[in-house]
Amino acid sequence: MKKRFVVALLALAIMFTCVLPGAALAKDKVTISLYWILSNKNMMWQAFSKMMDNVEKRTNGEVVFKRYHSGTLGTDTDAMEQMRSGALDILACGVGVYGRYDPTVASVSLPYLFRDYDHIKKFLKKDTFNKLLKGLEAHNMRAISLFNAGFRDVMNTKRAVNSAADVAGLKLKSAKIASWLTYWKTVGAMPTAIKPTEQYMAVKTGVVDGMEMAAINAKSWKLYEVCKYYSRVKAAWGGPLLAMNLAKFNSLSPEYRKILLEEASKAADWSFDQGKERDAASLKFMASKGMQINYNPDVASFRAAAQKAYAEYAKEKWFKADLIKEIQAIK
């Protein structure tokens, strides 16, 4: 009996010497840093938070996010270099910033490329998305997903806009994205790039007559206080691209990469679904403040102007006609 007891103890000792080292070698937690240059009080940060929360939950806390926002890590240009070098893992910023490294990426914001939010959601799940953004990998970046900031409309202080002809001669603030500046020039406007923090006073003091911008952002910046006329032309879509340091992405296990991509896709879908509701709410709010909203302008005239712009884009090396056709053909 005593001998059996000793043997049992020895068996247990051997078992523990086998098990405990294995436990000691359990993989360490994976920490991923994410930076969003703007505030944590907007829809985009809500979407990013959903993604991060769900990744942490699905990995049982083995993947943990360090969360940064509101300019704490510097400008988007600074952060881009941090992400490319590996000092930062994930960056969320406008596609125009990524376009400085691979201009083809900015194609997602070409005028009238997408019909509606559902069209964009379908595009994100197609291989066309990966093909269009694959060029970022040459710069040590891996595209994760696009998130929604809305279709861009036009507003101004001078007159109601119903057709493209009504925009002719207007001085419009636009984002510093070459394709947008080209488009508004073909419409006959005089676009100029102005920092978001300066746009309110630029309109108020007459530096510009108005701007092109998404409804949700127009409400946030209180532009209804300085612009009287708003036209729902949906000239181009814009939104942040979430991209990750390529080496960091590749260092994740296949399981964790899968979870990250799945949760990013779900969060992106949420941002587009929310966009429909928030666009309507923003327009209703601005109308209540006295802004005149044209919900049904002659969009066909703006689309016609886009064809002229596309003829200009086709002259550029970054323009991939085959991929653009693939995107437009998605049903």
Side-chain angles (χ1 to χ4, degrees):
M1 186 70 147
K2 185 175 180 182
K3 185 176 180 180
R4 288 181 183 177
F5 180 71
V6 172
V7 170
L9 285 177
L10 286 172
L12 284 172
I14 293 171
M15 181 180 73
F16 279 111
T17 58
C18 292
V19 172
L20 289 178
L25 293 173
K27 54 188 177 184
D28 294 331
K29 288 187 177 182
V30 176
T31 301
I32 299 175
S33 55
L34 181 148
Y35 179 46
W36 166 236
I37 190 172
L38 299 181
S39 168
N40 64 338
K41 304 297 183 183
N42 55 40
M43 181 178 73
M44 267 70 75
W45 185 255
Q46 286 181 270
F48 304 147
S49 295
K50 285 179 178 292
M51 178 198 75
M52 293 186 285
D53 291 346
N54 288 334
V55 169
E56 291 180 346
K57 183 177 180 180
R58 286 183 62 186
T59 61
N60 297 313
E62 292 301 321
V63 174
V64 179
F65 284 88
K66 287 187 176 180
R67 311 177 186 207
Y68 303 94
H69 54 77
S70 307
T72 52
L73 298 185
T75 67
D76 49 14
T77 302
D78 295 335
M80 185 72 72
E81 288 307 309
Q82 292 176 48
M83 191 259 284
R84 292 181 64 228
S85 70
L88 172 68
D89 297 323
I90 296 179
L91 174 64
C93 66
V95 292
V97 182
Y98 291 98
R100 298 170 192 169
Y101 297 90
D102 179 17
T104 301
V105 172
S107 297
V108 297
S109 289
L110 291 178
Y112 296 105
L113 177 64
F114 297 109
R115 297 180 299 277
D116 50 35
Y117 291 143
D118 288 337
H119 186 182
I120 305 172
K121 286 169 62 176
K122 291 176 182 177
F123 160 67
L124 293 178
K125 295 171 178 59
K126 297 285 187 181
D127 189 48
T128 312
F129 168 73
N130 293 320
K131 287 192 290 185
L132 190 69
L133 282 78
K134 190 171 180 58
L136 289 176
E137 294 185 9
H139 303 279
N140 203 28
M141 295 181 276
R142 207 284 190 182
I144 301 298
S145 190
L146 290 166
F147 287 75
N148 183 40
F151 281 100
R152 302 176 77 85
D153 302 318
V154 64
M155 66 202 82
N156 77 99
T157 61
K158 299 294 184 181
R159 54 182 175 268
V161 171
N162 187 59
S163 71
D166 297 323
V167 178
L170 290 178
K171 294 179 291 183
L172 294 180
K173 176 266 174 185
S174 179
K176 194 176 182 180
I177 295 179
S179 62
W180 291 352
L181 295 171
T182 296
Y183 172 69
W184 288 109
K185 287 177 183 177
T186 62
V187 176
M190 294 180 284
T192 183
I194 295 176
K195 293 179 181 178
T197 52
E198 299 173 358
Q199 61 195 6
Y200 185 100
M201 289 305 298
V203 177
K204 189 171 184 178
T205 59
V207 173
V208 292
D209 301 317
M211 60 195 67
E212 53 87 24
M213 182 179 290
I216 188 172
N217 294 327
K219 175 181 177 290
S220 297
W221 288 103
K222 298 184 178 181
L223 297 174
Y224 51 82
E225 294 179 351
V226 289
C227 286
K228 183 177 180 180
Y229 305 100
Y230 189 105
S231 189
R232 191 83 166 114
V233 300
K234 299 182 182 180
W237 174 82
L241 170 65
L242 203 69
M244 189 170 188
N245 174 273
L246 181 60
K248 179 74 172 187
F249 179 82
N250 289 335
S251 74
L252 299 178
S253 70
E255 177 191 5
Y256 289 171
R257 288 200 296 266
K258 182 174 181 288
I259 290 173
L260 175 63
L261 292 174
E262 287 177 351
E263 293 306 326
S265 178
K266 292 177 186 176
D269 280 354
W270 178 86
S271 74
F272 285 101
D273 292 339
Q274 285 289 305
K276 299 174 185 177
E277 300 174 13
R278 298 192 186 205
D279 284 351
S282 296
L283 292 170
K284 183 178 180 180
F285 176 84
M286 292 190 290
S288 74
K289 295 296 182 179
M291 197 176 223
Q292 295 183 23
I293 313 290
N294 183 353
Y295 288 94
N296 297 295
D298 177 16
V299 174
S301 65
F302 286 92
R303 285 185 179 276
Q307 297 309 307
K308 298 178 183 178
Y310 273 77
E312 294 299 314
Y313 304 149
K315 300 174 184 177
E316 303 292 338
K317 291 182 179 179
W318 58 262
F319 186 77
K320 309 297 182 184
D322 54 340
L323 290 178
I324 297 303
K325 289 179 180 178
E326 279 188 38
I327 295 171
Q328 294 172 327
I330 294 172
K331 301 297 183 185

